[in-house]
Amino acid sequence: MAPVRAMVLAAALLALAALPVAIALVICADDLTRDLRTRFRRRRERRTLQRLDRMLGAQAIQITALDERRQPSIQQIAADLRRLDRQRLGGVATQSRVWHAAVQQAYDDRLRLASHSLGVAEHLQQLDGVDLAIERVRVEGELQAAGLALRSAIQHRQDH
């Protein structure tokens, strides 16, 4: 009988010691299940994003190849830059803010194309305000140093 009492006493002490743990589990069960659901949802989202990246990566390569075939020649880009430069500095673009913004955006787009074609580093898309204006002047200088004439000879003489 003594061993039975000892076992019952041990079980009672074990239950008494485990009671706070059981109570804590009951109280925190919502948090634990929420954490598990969050982990599973994040894992599922991560897998979905990886699948999309693989799919879009293949499409991006195809689109890039298609864009490179449609890209205008460097001569056409230079002609566009000269035309847009005349417009933004003294043409129609100075009459309206909307026109000025549109011409400036087109000029920046052509600067990016020219930079890409000639291997000149540019950060025009990431900047704005004074930083963008400074970067524009820097890129123009780099392109001219690479041999791209951004201003016609007549325009260059008028500026000086």
Side-chain angles (χ1 to χ4, degrees):
M1 194 81 153
V4 173
R5 280 189 182 180
M7 288 180 60
V8 169
L9 184 61
L13 287 174
L14 184 63
L16 188 60
L19 186 61
V21 173
I23 291 172
L25 282 175
V26 169
I27 292 173
C28 297
D30 289 341
D31 293 338
L32 292 173
T33 56
R34 188 177 331 116
D35 288 345
L36 287 174
R37 279 183 285 196
T38 302
R39 283 185 188 170
F40 287 131
R41 188 182 74 243
R42 285 182 183 161
R43 179 194 271 165
R44 188 175 39 236
E45 289 172 354
R46 196 170 30 249
R47 282 191 308 233
T48 302
L49 287 174
Q50 288 170 344
R51 260 186 267 132
L52 284 173
D53 281 345
R54 283 192 301 271
M55 288 174 30
L56 292 177
Q59 288 178 346
I61 291 169
Q62 293 170 353
I63 290 170
T64 302
L66 184 61
D67 286 346
E68 287 176 357
R69 284 182 289 199
R70 291 184 191 166
Q71 183 173 340
S73 68
I74 193 65
Q75 293 84 4
Q76 180 62 48
I77 295 170
D80 290 346
L81 280 168
R82 287 189 290 272
R83 177 181 50 81
L84 290 166
D85 189 48
R86 282 191 308 272
Q87 289 179 358
R88 77 185 180 102
L89 294 177
V92 177
T94 59
Q95 297 174 2
S96 163
R97 285 185 182 190
V98 174
W99 274 100
H100 180 69
V103 170
Q104 192 66 58
Q105 181 64 43
Y107 184 75
D108 289 346
D109 288 344
R110 289 299 170 174
L111 278 178
R112 280 196 298 279
L113 265 177
S115 297
H116 177 71
S117 296
L118 296 176
V120 172
E122 56 84 17
H123 306 284
L124 294 166
Q125 214 163 11
Q126 296 94 357
L127 301 172
D128 60 359
V130 174
D131 294 332
L132 175 60
I134 292 169
E135 177 68 4
R136 190 177 296 124
V137 170
R138 187 195 68 78
V139 170
E140 288 171 343
E142 292 282 332
L143 290 173
Q144 286 177 341
L148 185 68
L150 294 176
R151 294 190 171 80
S152 66
I154 296 168
Q155 187 181 2
H156 188 69
R157 274 187 253 132
Q158 289 174 349
D159 291 345
H160 287 71

